Amino acid sequence: MNVLVIGANGQIGVRLVRQLQESMKHNPIAMIRKEEQLAKFKEQGVQTALVDLEGNIEDIVNVVKSTDAVVFTAGSGGHTGPDKTMLIDLDGAIKSMKASQQAGVKRFIMVSGIGVHRWHDTNRLDWMDSSPVYSAAKYYADAWLERSDLDYTIIRPGKLNNNTGTGKVTVADDLPHKQISREDVASAIITSLENNETIGKSFDIINGETPIIEALKTL
């Protein structure tokens, strides 16, 4: 598949692009927003698209048209304010979904946050109280996707780290806020792309003892 990675310069995005390229089965297209980010991907032989999520939706549509699937890994980052969180994690996500619909590309994978589907619950995970804007943005972006006509998968990783991936995870609808490596999240994205049984599914994912391909079969 030609896979558009939105947020390709982010920590999950970089790993996902590399794994897609190394798989020899898929062609990653790295969507980035700064010209200075182009050289890194071109040196890797990765096709790039310079598009700003805060720009026109038509620019996103033009890139999506040449793809088979879209993965949204973009985020405003921890050093920005609530305004950027809403513009990237919510509005940018919804723009990307609308662009996919307009381009006729159905497969869409969202990288979300563990437990955000419980944002309105009294027993929600503690981390959300310290990141309320981010949690709300992710909650409503996921809700929009679930109500769309896209063939979606929503992956909600736990506390992210840069450890070497183990290839083993735990997936479920409700999991504790435990760790997972970004490499394993990237692997779970690719496995989801290759497994149509994950379409229409949303799940938390953390470190575990089950190989990723087997874990995703239990959804």
Side-chain angles (χ1 to χ4, degrees):
M1 289 185 283
N2 291 322
V3 182
L4 180 65
V5 181
I6 299 178
N9 199 56
Q11 294 196 69
I12 291 176
V14 166
R15 290 165 171 80
L16 176 60
V17 168
R18 174 175 51 80
Q19 288 190 30
L20 285 166
Q21 192 176 34
E22 290 174 351
S23 75
M24 305 298 289
K25 295 187 289 184
H26 307 295
N27 175 47
I29 301 167
M31 184 171 136
I32 51 181
R33 66 184 182 89
K34 294 181 179 180
E35 287 191 21
E36 55 263 36
Q37 298 167 351
L38 289 171
K40 174 174 68 177
F41 291 102
K42 287 185 176 179
E43 287 173 4
Q44 294 174 229
V46 175
Q47 184 178 346
T48 59
L50 188 62
V51 179
D52 191 341
L53 278 175
E54 296 182 56
N56 296 323
I57 192 170
E58 290 79 10
D59 295 336
I60 307 174
V61 173
N62 289 333
V63 178
V64 174
K65 283 179 181 177
S66 63
T67 69
D68 303 300
V70 175
V71 181
F72 189 89
T73 69
S76 61
H79 303 294
T80 59
D83 56 338
K84 286 294 183 182
T85 300
M86 298 306 288
L87 287 172
I88 300 299
D89 295 83
L90 178 56
D91 190 58
I94 293 175
K95 274 184 183 176
S96 302
M97 297 174 219
K98 287 184 174 180
S100 296
Q101 290 175 318
Q102 291 179 31
V105 175
K106 299 283 286 184
R107 194 69 173 104
F108 195 103
I109 292 186
M110 172 72 78
V111 178
S112 186
I114 191 167
V116 296
H117 59 301
R118 290 158 50 186
W119 169 238
H120 289 163
D121 296 353
T122 56
N123 64 335
R124 65 191 182 203
L125 296 176
D126 290 343
W127 76 265
M128 286 183 274
D129 291 325
S130 61
S131 304
V133 177
Y134 175 82
S135 301
K138 286 297 188 185
Y139 173 85
Y140 286 107
D142 291 356
W144 202 98
L145 181 56
E146 288 173 335
R147 288 163 177 76
S148 74
D149 62 352
L150 295 171
D151 293 335
Y152 71 84
T153 304
I154 299 172
I155 299 174
R156 301 189 299 259
K159 188 175 182 180
L160 296 164
N161 64 52
N162 291 329
N163 296 343
T164 301
T166 65
K168 295 182 178 181
V169 297
T170 297
V171 300
D173 193 46
D174 292 295
L175 290 173
H177 188 208
K178 294 185 177 181
Q179 299 213 2
I180 185 169
S181 73
R182 290 178 172 89
E183 280 192 6
D184 283 333
V185 175
S187 298
I189 292 169
I190 295 174
T191 302
S192 295
L193 283 170
E194 296 173 347
N195 180 4
N196 286 341
E197 294 300 315
T198 65
I199 291 175
K201 303 291 177 61
S202 306
F203 55 90
D204 292 347
I205 183 169
I206 58 174
N207 285 344
E209 298 298 327
T210 306
I212 291 171
I213 192 169
E214 297 299 326
L216 296 189
K217 289 178 180 179
T218 67
L219 295 171

